[in-house]
Amino acid sequence: MFWQGMSIVIDNKIILPGVNDVFLLLKNPTMSMIGMGSLVDNLTISLIRVLTGYTAAVLLAIPLGMLMGYSKTIFSLFHYFLGLFRPIPPLAWVPLMLAWFGVSSLAMFYPVQSGQIYIYLRNIQISMVVIIFIGAFFPILLSTIYGVQNVRKTLIESARTLGGNEFNIFTKILIPASAPSIVNGMRIGLGVAWMCLVSAEMLPGSISGVGYLIIHAYTVARTDVVIAGMISIGIVGVMLDSVFKSIEVKKFSWQSKYR
Amino acid sequence: MNSTILNIEKLNKIFVTDKKQSVQALKDINLDVYNNDFVCILGPSGCGKSTLLRIVAGLENTYNGSVRHKNKPLLSSHQEIGMVFQEYSLLPWRTVISNVVLGLEFLGVRKKERIQTGMKYLSMVGLEKYAQSYPYELSGGMQQRVAIARSLANDPDMLLMDEPFGALDAHTRIILQKELLKIWNKNRKTVLFVTHSVDESIYLADRIIVMSSGPGQILEEISVEMERPRERSNPEYGRLTTKILEMLDIQGR
């Protein structure tokens, strides 16, 4: 209401478009706009990029975090090295990533230079995947380490006296006991990854994705597209988060009642 | 006399603190535990009684001296020596029955058999109704009973208990002591029970090992000859209590 009121007062679509203009765009998400494909197309591309980098981060951060949480030797081995990289904002890596990887994409590794898959892979730039990876990696790693370090010692020791070997202790004690913390880290990591991506897409070298759509819409003075893009980023973010929320509620109800 | 199941000779344990000071937790411990014995280790807090138990459980591996289980040196934890901890040690994400069968899972016992054995021990502690409950739905006393069932399900030949009833209220404690003796009567496992309660040790033990602190060493071994179930009103009970309290008191001064 305030928004609609303000847009009538301002009466300039470039500064503040009307609510109905934006909602028209959101209501027809498959409609192609400003020569860049539809909202859904761009969101899909962005999502694929995020999930690629995010999956890599999950696959690396969880095992490393488990080992670092469990063994003091491994912890001290990586702690300072990783501690140095952690405070660097993921976006600060962008220039370096562009210098290293340029616009090369995952299609580089695909044998055939044509077909649907090739086109998709062309859109997953290595530089962006790496930036998402960096953004998601640290929250997941830290919560995994924290989760494992905080497993009650008695649980591990009682498993040992019951005849459990190291492998048993990892799979039956450490993983389930630290799972709530790990999933929480994955949830934060996905949020960070999504934010990093959209920002990364706004930087030079990008030719698609919602972030790029917003920047491009800005340069052609389509503020309604900018706002529609922002809202859709928010909606997808909430949807991704709710996936994790439901896992937490379903699987880890024991945690809140645990003394 | 029964055969020896556990033999400890010249056991010394030194802890090094964070400030690089060394503290002697155990000094020259010699102890023989016989099959089917109920032995209580009694002492003030900080006398190293828990450390002694942890060494026997294979949870502490740096010590001097010899610890032999059935004539073999004890190298690490194994399922023949079970342990019940003071704090709740059940896995909170597992139901009661799947907690009880944890050790059997480690041993690779098939699922059907696991559940059967697990239920047998769960009904031994009187909790078969709660098989599908979660630990947090149970009271502290019930949780400890589950922990006891879990240790027994592995069929160990020795059961170590580290102040298992320490966190319980006096009433629950007395009930569980009674139940423990009942279970022990059925199984006749060797039990090594750590406590700082004089009353508890006299009620339970065949033999009481009285320890002193700083450094932790064995003061005396006392045989309790009273018939079970023991009555706390028995004059012998009182005589023993006084004797042990005096012994500990001299130490405290």
Side-chain angles (χ1 to χ4, degrees):
Chain A
M1 289 253 278
F2 177 70
W3 173 10
Q4 186 62 40
M6 284 304 283
S7 72
I8 292 166
V9 172
I10 292 169
D11 194 25
N12 184 338
K13 280 198 167 181
I14 296 170
I15 294 173
L16 193 64
V19 177
N20 47 335
D21 294 335
V22 173
F23 268 83
L24 205 66
L25 289 173
L26 288 173
K27 248 169 71 185
N28 304 298
T30 46
M31 185 179 67
S32 180
M33 44 191 167
I34 52 172
M36 278 209 37
S38 70
L39 210 50
V40 169
D41 289 343
N42 283 294
L43 280 170
T44 312
I45 287 167
S46 295
L47 258 176
I48 291 172
R49 284 177 184 149
V50 165
L51 293 181
T52 311
Y54 179 71
T55 310
V58 168
L59 291 181
L60 203 75
I62 293 180
L64 182 62
M66 301 234 38
L67 289 172
M68 282 176 73
Y70 188 57
S71 151
K72 281 197 180 124
T73 326
I74 298 176
F75 182 79
S76 51
L77 211 64
F78 287 99
H79 179 59
Y80 292 106
F81 177 71
L82 291 172
L84 194 67
F85 284 97
R86 194 164 71 86
I88 303 173
L91 288 184
W93 289 89
V94 168
L96 192 60
M97 289 303 128
L98 287 178
W100 285 358
F101 301 111
V103 290
S104 61
S105 64
L106 289 186
M108 237 167 59
F109 307 111
Y110 194 65
V112 198
Q113 299 243 329
S114 62
Q116 197 67 37
I117 300 174
Y118 181 73
I119 292 169
Y120 260 113
L121 289 177
R122 278 273 311 259
N123 267 313
I124 308 174
Q125 282 83 354
I126 293 175
S127 56
M128 288 184 188
V129 172
V130 173
I131 287 159
I132 291 156
F133 172 84
I134 295 169
F137 181 76
F138 285 104
I140 303 173
L141 181 78
L142 289 182
S143 341
T144 308
I145 294 174
Y146 176 82
V148 174
Q149 279 177 345
N150 279 284
V151 175
R152 223 186 248 212
K153 224 176 136 201
T154 325
L155 297 187
I156 298 168
E157 290 185 337
S158 60
R160 227 170 238 149
T161 59
L162 288 168
N165 56 31
E166 295 295 306
F167 178 75
N168 292 147
I169 285 168
F170 242 94
T171 55
K172 307 229 157 150
I173 313 290
L174 287 181
I175 291 177
S178 54
S181 179
I182 294 175
V183 170
N184 191 31
M186 285 170 70
R187 186 176 161 189
I188 298 168
L190 189 56
V192 175
W194 185 236
M195 282 192 274
C196 286
L197 170 84
V198 174
S199 322
E201 283 173 347
M202 290 183 173
L203 294 164
S206 163
I207 47 156
S208 61
V210 243
Y212 181 67
L213 176 71
I214 290 174
I215 284 296
H216 187 67
Y218 164 72
T219 56
V220 297
R222 284 292 301 275
T223 314
D224 53 338
V225 178
V226 172
I227 295 177
M230 285 167 65
I231 293 175
S232 56
I233 288 168
I235 292 171
V236 173
V238 168
M239 272 161 33
L240 293 175
D241 199 54
S242 67
V243 172
F244 280 103
K245 222 181 207 164
S246 68
I247 293 176
E248 283 178 357
V249 169
K250 262 191 213 143
K251 294 277 173 190
F252 306 135
S253 56
W254 56 266
Q255 210 201 13
S256 54
K257 293 157 192 152
Y258 179 36
R259 280 168 286 174
Chain B
M1 185 58 77
N2 279 317
S3 58
T4 312
I5 184 166
L6 181 75
N7 167 264
I8 298 173
E9 261 170 49
K10 291 195 190 121
L11 176 65
N12 280 280
K13 166 84 188 173
I14 292 169
F15 279 114
V16 179
T17 62
D18 292 340
K19 290 175 186 166
K20 305 273 175 210
Q21 286 168 320
S22 53
V23 177
Q24 182 140 29
L26 292 172
K27 193 182 171 194
D28 292 329
I29 303 285
N30 294 299
L31 178 66
D32 279 319
V33 178
Y34 310 106
N35 256 324
N36 310 336
D37 238 8
F38 200 123
V39 178
C40 274
I41 301 175
L42 175 71
S45 40
C47 72
K49 54 191 193 297
S50 288
T51 309
L52 177 59
L53 207 65
R54 289 173 56 83
I55 288 174
V56 178
L59 296 173
E60 299 278 349
N61 294 317
T62 49
Y63 55 81
N64 287 314
S66 107
V67 180
R68 298 170 77 82
H69 169 247
K70 291 204 283 196
N71 254 327
K72 273 178 276 172
L74 205 122
L75 297 172
S76 63
S77 316
H78 55 97
Q79 69 277 1
E80 283 181 19
I81 302 180
M83 180 145 171
V84 178
F85 294 80
Q86 177 178 6
E87 316 97 277
Y88 307 129
S89 56
L90 302 176
L91 307 181
W93 57 89
R94 284 180 170 232
T95 58
V96 165
I97 181 69
S98 55
N99 260 292
V100 173
V101 300
L102 185 64
L104 299 171
E105 249 178 78
F106 292 156
L107 292 175
V109 177
R110 287 228 309 282
K111 187 166 182 188
K112 211 175 148 195
E113 226 174 298
R114 274 202 314 251
I115 302 291
Q116 243 169 21
T117 316
M119 284 309 286
K120 186 179 112 192
Y121 285 98
L122 203 52
S123 50
M124 194 180 282
V125 297
L127 290 176
E128 67 275 28
K129 271 193 294 185
Y130 295 91
Q132 299 305 326
S133 306
Y134 283 88
Y136 55 76
E137 297 170 314
L138 269 52
S139 70
M142 287 154 102
Q143 289 189 32
Q144 284 307 67
R145 283 195 277 183
V146 175
I148 292 169
R150 180 175 70 174
S151 298
L152 291 175
N154 257 7
D155 198 24
D157 49 34
M158 194 156 81
L159 190 58
L160 310 175
M161 307 187 87
D162 188 4
E163 300 194 38
F165 309 144
L168 306 176
D169 62 89
H171 181 66
T172 315
R173 198 171 173 148
I174 288 170
I175 294 173
L176 281 193
Q177 288 167 358
K178 246 185 218 163
E179 266 184 30
L180 178 62
L181 284 182
K182 243 192 251 166
I183 293 166
W184 178 68
N185 258 324
K186 272 186 220 160
N187 287 334
R188 285 282 158 174
K189 306 275 181 211
T190 310
V191 177
L192 202 54
F193 189 107
V194 161
T195 179
H196 61 248
S197 156
V198 177
D199 171 77
E200 190 166 64
S201 64
I202 298 172
Y203 187 76
L204 295 172
D206 293 318
R207 266 197 314 155
I208 302 173
I209 313 290
V210 185
M211 286 183 70
S212 70
S213 57
Q217 31 190 341
I218 295 178
L219 275 182
E220 205 173 317
E221 275 191 45
I222 297 168
S223 290
V224 186
E225 311 284 355
M226 278 183 285
E227 281 288 312
R228 290 193 181 90
R230 292 173 183 155
E231 290 298 327
R232 287 183 164 88
S233 54
N234 188 331
E236 171 71 5
Y237 207 106
R239 199 186 60 77
L240 266 179
T241 309
T242 320
K243 183 178 166 191
I244 295 171
L245 280 176
E246 266 170 11
M247 215 183 281
L248 291 170
D249 199 35
I250 293 164
Q251 270 300 307
R253 241 176 260 158

